[in-house]
Amino acid sequence: MKLTAQQIDQLYLFTRQHYVEYYDLQTELVDHLANAIETEWEQNPKLTFDEVLNKEFSKFGVFGFMDVVESRQMALGKKYNRLVFQHFKTFFSVPKILFTLTMTFLLFKILKTSIYNDYIFIAICIIYFGFIFHEFYKNKKIKKVQKETNQKKWLFEEIINQYGSFSGALTFPFYIFTQVSSHAERYLSNDYWLFSVSLMVVLFGILNYILFKIIPSKAEVHLKQTYPEYKLENL
Amino acid sequence: MKNSQLYKGSLNTIIMKLLEENGKMYGYEITQKVKAITQGELNITEGALYPALHKLEAEGLLDVEIEKVDNRMRKYYKLTESGQKETVNRLSELEDFIRNMQSLVSPSPKLEF
C-alpha cells in the first residue's frame, strides 16, 4: 500500500516536531520513513499508520533524528569552510595577489607617513566593526521575516547567512585592534609591526568581503549545487 | 549495527561498493540491500547510514540527484569521478585488511620442515 499525499504531509510535520527544522533533511527523512512504512505494511497490513511510524522512528535510537541533523550540520559546515578557503586562496594567486599586496603597501605607506596614523587606524576599526554589525543586523531582520512567513529553511542557506564557524572568528580582530590602538606608539612606529598590522587589516578585510559579499551573492548557485531539489521548490 | 565496532570502520566502503555496483541508490534502498546480501546478518542503522552518506557527499565523493517518486521526493546518491577512484583504493585496502586478519586469526599451517 502506498502512502497518500496527506500522510506524506503528516510525515513532514512529524520530522518538524522532532526538531528537524530544515527542509532538505526533512525531505530525505520523510522518504526514508515512507519507504519503511510501506515495507512494514506489506508484512503487517493491520498496523495503523501511527503504529508503524513509531516503530520505524524508534530505529533511529534514543536521540531520534538528532544524530542525522548534527552530522549534516557538520558536513555542510566543512563544505562552507572549504568554500571560504577556496575564495581566500584566489587573493594569493595571480592576478588578485597584486591587489592584496598593493592594498597592504598602500596602507603601510599611509600609516607610516601620516602623523595622524593612530586616528586613521581607529577609523579603520570603526568601519570594520560597523560593517560587521550592519551585516549581522541585516541578516537578523531577513531571518525574522523568513520565520514569520514560514518559509522553508535550507541548512546550507542558513550556514551561509550565519557565516558558519566564522561568526565567532570575526570578532577576534577586536582584541588585536584594541591592543594596537592602545599601544599605538609601539606598534605603529616600528616598520615590521606596521607592515604586519597593515597585512592583517587587509586579510581580515578580504575575509569579510568573502563572507559578506562574494558567497552570499552566489548563494543561489551554491544552493542549487548542494540541493537539486532547490530548483524544483523555487520555480 | 551488529558488532558495530568491527563494522563501523568499513561502513563507508560498503556504501561506496554498493553504489559502484548499482549506480544510484537512496538511503532506505542501501539498508535493505545490505540486509538482503548478508541475509539479515548485517543491519545498517539509520543513525549511522545518513551521517556516513552526508560526510561522503561533503567530501565530494558522492553526488546527489532528486526524483519525484509517488507523491514525494527521493534523494539518490551516486559516486562522483573522484568517488569512483576512491572506491578502488578503499576496496583494495579492505581486502588487504581481510587477508591480514584472516592470517592472524586462523594462520595456515606452515609447510616448512
Side-chain angles (χ1 to χ4, degrees):
Chain A
M1 192 163 64
K2 294 279 175 202
L3 261 65
T4 62
Q6 199 192 355
Q7 282 165 331
I8 295 294
D9 286 341
Q10 227 173 307
L11 288 180
Y12 270 105
L13 182 68
F14 183 81
T15 57
R16 276 200 296 276
Q17 283 166 343
H18 288 86
Y19 312 106
V20 184
E21 293 174 68
Y22 308 104
Y23 183 69
D24 44 313
L25 264 176
Q26 288 171 359
T27 302
E28 186 162 39
L29 291 169
V30 164
D31 183 49
H32 182 96
L33 291 170
N35 284 319
I37 292 169
E38 284 170 358
T39 313
E40 183 67 31
W41 264 342
E42 279 169 22
Q43 282 142 20
N44 298 309
K46 280 186 190 150
L47 290 176
T48 66
F49 176 77
D50 286 329
E51 279 169 345
V52 192
L53 174 57
N54 285 328
K55 192 176 165 190
E56 290 306 326
F57 180 59
S58 68
K59 290 185 186 168
F60 277 82
V62 275
F63 295 112
F65 299 134
M66 288 303 280
D67 287 342
V68 183
V69 175
E70 269 173 27
S71 76
R72 184 78 176 149
Q73 259 163 344
M74 213 149 70
L76 286 180
K78 274 191 190 153
K79 185 184 165 127
Y80 179 74
N81 291 350
R82 260 203 307 274
L83 200 65
V84 174
F85 187 63
Q86 271 167 13
H87 283 295
F88 202 70
K89 256 190 347 201
T90 63
F91 283 88
F92 294 92
S93 55
V94 185
K96 279 188 187 155
I97 189 159
L98 291 175
F99 166 81
T100 313
L101 290 177
T102 314
M103 289 306 282
T104 309
F105 280 112
L106 205 68
L107 190 62
F108 172 74
K109 203 84 192 148
I110 293 171
L111 289 176
K112 192 173 161 60
T113 46
S114 170
I115 48 164
Y116 301 111
N117 60 7
D118 44 351
Y119 292 111
I120 294 174
F121 188 74
I122 291 170
I124 291 172
C125 298
I126 292 172
I127 294 170
Y128 178 90
F129 289 106
F131 177 70
I132 291 177
F133 285 123
H134 168 74
E135 292 294 322
F136 271 107
Y137 180 70
K138 215 168 71 182
N139 269 329
K140 216 176 155 189
K141 255 172 48 182
I142 295 173
K143 220 179 144 187
K144 208 176 148 197
V145 173
Q146 255 180 352
K147 205 175 172 187
E148 280 165 3
T149 51
N150 242 338
Q151 282 177 32
K152 281 173 187 147
K153 275 169 92 177
W154 303 81
L155 180 54
F156 201 54
E157 186 176 37
E158 187 147 300
I159 291 177
I160 289 177
N161 290 336
Q162 292 184 356
Y163 321 110
S165 48
F166 288 96
S167 52
L170 283 170
T171 48
F172 173 67
F174 186 75
Y175 172 73
I176 300 170
F177 284 180
T178 45
Q179 274 288 315
V180 173
S181 46
S182 56
H183 299 96
E185 67 296 337
R186 180 156 132 219
Y187 292 114
L188 299 181
S189 57
N190 173 313
D191 273 5
Y192 294 111
W193 274 118
L194 201 56
F195 185 78
S196 312
V197 168
S198 310
L199 182 65
M200 206 187 64
V201 169
V202 171
L203 292 184
F204 279 118
I206 290 173
L207 184 64
N208 275 4
Y209 183 62
I210 293 168
L211 297 179
F212 295 118
K213 294 291 166 201
I214 299 185
I215 295 182
S217 75
K218 290 181 186 163
E220 193 98 332
V221 180
H222 294 309
L223 287 171
K224 278 182 190 158
Q225 186 253 332
T226 313
Y227 305 124
E229 67 266 42
Y230 188 79
K231 243 185 313 200
L232 295 174
E233 290 295 318
N234 290 278
L235 285 177
Chain B
M1 209 191 300
K2 197 187 168 195
N3 293 340
S4 67
Q5 283 308 322
L6 291 175
Y7 286 109
K8 224 174 189 173
S10 314
L11 179 58
N12 288 354
T13 317
I14 297 171
I15 294 171
M16 287 161 82
K17 168 76 181 159
L18 285 176
L19 290 174
E20 188 190 42
E21 278 174 5
N22 299 288
K24 59 175 190 180
M25 293 176 94
Y26 53 96
Y28 185 74
E29 192 183 7
I30 295 175
T31 60
Q32 295 305 297
K33 193 92 184 173
V34 171
K35 215 192 261 179
I37 293 174
T38 61
Q39 280 145 5
E41 281 273 310
L42 182 59
N43 201 355
I44 299 184
T45 56
E46 288 72 5
L49 174 73
Y50 287 102
L53 284 171
H54 295 156
K55 199 164 164 254
L56 290 170
E57 186 195 341
E59 284 169 4
L61 298 174
L62 302 186
D63 206 359
V64 289
E65 252 177 45
I66 291 284
E67 259 175 47
K68 219 170 156 108
V69 180
D70 300 327
N71 36 34
R72 55 185 188 255
M73 277 191 280
R74 181 161 294 165
K75 190 173 172 186
Y76 283 96
Y77 292 89
K78 59 179 184 191
L79 288 170
T80 58
E81 221 168 282
S82 62
Q84 278 166 351
K85 282 181 203 149
E86 189 60 26
T87 307
V88 178
N89 291 341
R90 293 202 188 179
L91 277 176
S92 76
E93 224 173 87
L94 187 62
E95 275 158 18
D96 285 347
F97 172 77
I98 294 170
R99 212 182 35 246
N100 288 331
M101 284 312 281
Q102 207 145 35
S103 38
L104 279 170
V105 174
S106 52
S108 52
K110 278 190 179 171
L111 294 173
E112 283 172 26
F113 293 101

